[in-house]
Amino acid sequence: MEELAIEPHGIFFEQDFITPEHEQNLIHIFREQLEWPDRTGRISLHFGYTFDYKTFGVDPNIPFKEFPDWLKPLIPTHEGRPPEQVCLQHYPPGAGIPPHVDTHSTYDQLYALSIGAPVFMQFRKGDRRVDVDLTPRSLMKMSGDSRLHWTHSIKKRKTDLLDDGTVRLREDRWSITYRWLRPGAECHCGNLEHCDSAQKRIGVEREYRWKQYEANQDTIAPEATAESNQGLPPAL
């Protein structure tokens, strides 16, 4: 893998991690052989440990799920050991993911394999914005600055504007995110804005949207809470 000569530092990229034929076989498996959640928008399946959408760590109540045969050849070997958590996500046209930084204390390195249509991922730090084109079959690694100090996101829209002025339509895309658990479950980067370990050391409790939701429910009349679940916090 080669590091991209951009800021943020720490983004490594490998084009054509798999062949076009392998990609098409995977898309067939994703479409025809897997059971997906029955809802619209971005949907996910988990392997290894299950991602916990309340704490953004791993769910200790769900047993480790062995990697299926189709996934095993796709595991990156750069870290010297397999990842503990793998997430397969389907992005239909128009779907995105809000700006976030994966939990510092829980996860170390992050990798992402892009399958299907290309899409721009935006890295943000303060007023700075950097777009990286996640091309089909590419493998990206986020480490160091890009992993810890910049948020990353995919905007919810159905087109992307290229540098030459071309409007590129979004199509179905799948991504496989690989997460390695951080030894000792503590980060020492010291970033008080994004690092839960740094916040914990000064007595700041991380704010979770599900806690905010439950707190809001305490102030809502019982008849109001019986309505639809439109107020439920979205999953990252």
Side-chain angles (χ1 to χ4, degrees):
M1 304 184 77
E2 294 186 2
E3 185 174 7
L4 298 184
I6 62 171
E7 192 178 13
H9 302 300
I11 300 176
F12 292 81
F13 219 76
E14 181 176 340
Q15 298 282 6
D16 295 318
F17 181 71
I18 57 175
T19 66
E21 294 76 18
H22 193 172
E23 178 185 41
Q24 290 305 310
N25 289 336
L26 289 171
I27 291 175
H28 175 77
I29 291 173
F30 299 162
R31 290 187 185 277
E32 305 296 335
Q33 300 181 18
L34 301 184
E35 294 185 10
W36 293 88
D38 185 17
R39 63 173 182 266
T40 60
R42 177 174 54 90
I43 50 178
S44 306
L45 296 174
H46 301 275
F47 306 96
Y49 290 111
T50 295
F51 188 90
D52 189 332
Y53 286 100
K54 281 193 171 184
T55 66
F56 308 129
V58 295
D59 192 330
N61 298 314
I62 300 179
F64 187 93
K65 184 178 181 180
E66 295 297 329
F67 297 153
D69 289 340
W70 61 262
L71 177 58
K72 292 176 182 177
L74 304 176
I75 300 298
T77 59
H78 307 75
E79 299 301 314
R81 61 184 175 93
E84 286 84 9
Q85 203 283 319
V86 177
C87 180
L88 169 64
Q89 299 191 88
H90 173 226
Y91 289 81
I97 188 168
H100 68 285
V101 174
D102 287 66
T103 304
H104 284 205
S105 63
T106 306
Y107 302 114
D108 196 354
Q109 312 290 23
L110 298 179
Y111 287 68
L113 174 61
S114 295
I115 298 168
V119 74
F120 281 110
M121 174 169 281
Q122 185 173 91
F123 290 84
R124 300 172 59 178
K125 184 178 182 181
D127 295 331
R128 286 176 284 178
R129 306 285 189 273
V130 177
D131 290 330
V132 174
D133 198 4
L134 303 183
T135 53
R137 302 178 299 281
S138 64
L139 181 68
M140 178 182 64
K141 172 184 176 180
M142 286 185 285
S143 62
D145 201 28
S146 65
R147 160 72 181 94
L148 299 174
H149 306 306
W150 292 61
T151 64
H152 58 277
S153 64
I154 295 175
K155 291 188 175 182
K156 295 178 65 174
R157 60 192 183 198
K158 293 190 175 182
T159 62
D160 286 319
L161 183 63
L162 306 185
D163 290 340
D164 63 2
T166 301
V167 175
R168 184 174 67 192
L169 292 176
R170 293 234 188 132
E171 299 180 40
D172 282 306
R173 173 181 179 267
W174 293 263
S175 71
I176 302 177
T177 302
Y178 311 86
R179 298 181 174 95
W180 280 258
L181 295 183
R182 183 180 296 279
E186 185 172 2
C187 178
H188 298 280
C189 75
N191 187 325
L192 289 176
E193 180 181 3
H194 295 306
C195 180
D196 60 311
S197 291
Q199 294 165 358
K200 183 178 180 180
R201 282 193 288 270
I202 64 171
V204 175
E205 182 181 5
R206 183 174 182 179
E207 293 186 2
Y208 296 112
R209 283 179 293 178
W210 65 270
K211 287 187 177 181
Q212 297 171 1
Y213 169 74
E214 290 183 350
N216 290 338
Q217 295 308 294
D218 291 338
T219 65
I220 299 176
E223 59 271 16
T225 61
E227 296 177 358
S228 70
N229 62 353
Q230 291 179 353
L232 284 173
L236 276 178

